Amino acid sequence: GAGVSQSPSNKVTEKGKDVELRCDPISGHTALYWYRQSLGQGLEFLIYFQGNSAPDKSGLPSDRFSAERTGGSVSTLTIQRTQQEDSAVYLCASSTTGKNNQPQHFGDGTRLSIL
Amino acid sequence: GENVEQHPSTLSVQEGDSAVIKCTYSDSASNYFPWYKQELGKGPQLIIDIRSNVGEKKDQRIAVTLNKTAKHFSLHITETQPEDSAVYFCAASITRGKLQFGAGTQVVVTP
């Protein structure tokens, strides 16, 4: 079946511009996660959505970062007034529920480059 | 919060030999430990996971062991093949499924 889909796969933009990154989770998965992976680094948790519960935003690095999930499916991560340090691969994952012990399945990410 | 350390950062093995990657975690409440393989330009792919009520799990050439007392877990790959070359990440589940990842191990299998 279809996996987690992310778009665009690559995004190049100028410093100061806003960007929107999209994630389509696996159908039926109620939990959705965003992570950031800087060059040669591990994955850093950003935000987590589970059903209709309030999202866990504890990993967002600044108030320039926000995310929403409409209709319990598609999610958009928005970065306002981008900075060069925002350059990274942004990865989305989904799981069947948000409980511990549920495997998270990742998309291939959006590679964001800020000039 | 949870902290996961992973060693080594790079690992070079001859084809056919075994590879072992080790991770330690700090939060004794962590109860789920997945391993991911990431190839260049791709997202991480789950290859095996283990839960805290199990000490060992095996899937063909891949095995994972967990020592809850010492708070460490390891990935073992036997009979390595060139297609095993990739970056491998361990992770621990902190709360509500949120994962804390290790820094990754670059595995190179030479023919």
Side-chain angles (χ1 to χ4, degrees), chain A residues 28-40:
Chain A
H29 281 194
T30 62
L32 186 148
Y33 309 80
W34 284 97
Y35 293 87
R36 179 169 69 176
Q37 186 174 29
S38 299
L39 187 63

Side-chain angles (χ1 to χ4, degrees), chain A residues 2-25:
Chain A
V4 176
S5 177
Q6 292 188 245
S7 61
S9 54
N10 288 281
K11 177 72 176 179
V12 180
T13 193
E14 293 180 346
K15 176 182 172 181
K17 299 286 188 181
D18 297 352
V19 295
E20 284 190 355
L21 312 179
R22 177 186 167 103
C23 173
D24 279 276

Side-chain angles (χ1 to χ4, degrees), chain A residues 37 45 58 98 100-101 104 108, chain B residues 36 38 43 51 96-98:
Chain A
Q37 186 174 29
F45 167 79
S58 60
N100 279 3
N101 303 337
Q104 295 182 25
D108 285 337
Chain B
Y36 287 86
Q38 187 175 29
R51 292 160 176 77
R96 296 174 66 195
K98 186 168 63 176

Side-chain angles (χ1 to χ4, degrees), chain A residues 81-104:
Chain A
R81 305 181 301 281
T82 52
Q83 304 294 313
Q84 288 187 330
E85 60 264 29
D86 299 335
S87 296
V89 176
Y90 289 82
L91 291 157
C92 176
S94 69
S95 65
T96 51
T97 73
K99 294 180 181 178
N100 279 3
N101 303 337
Q102 298 302 313
Q104 295 182 25

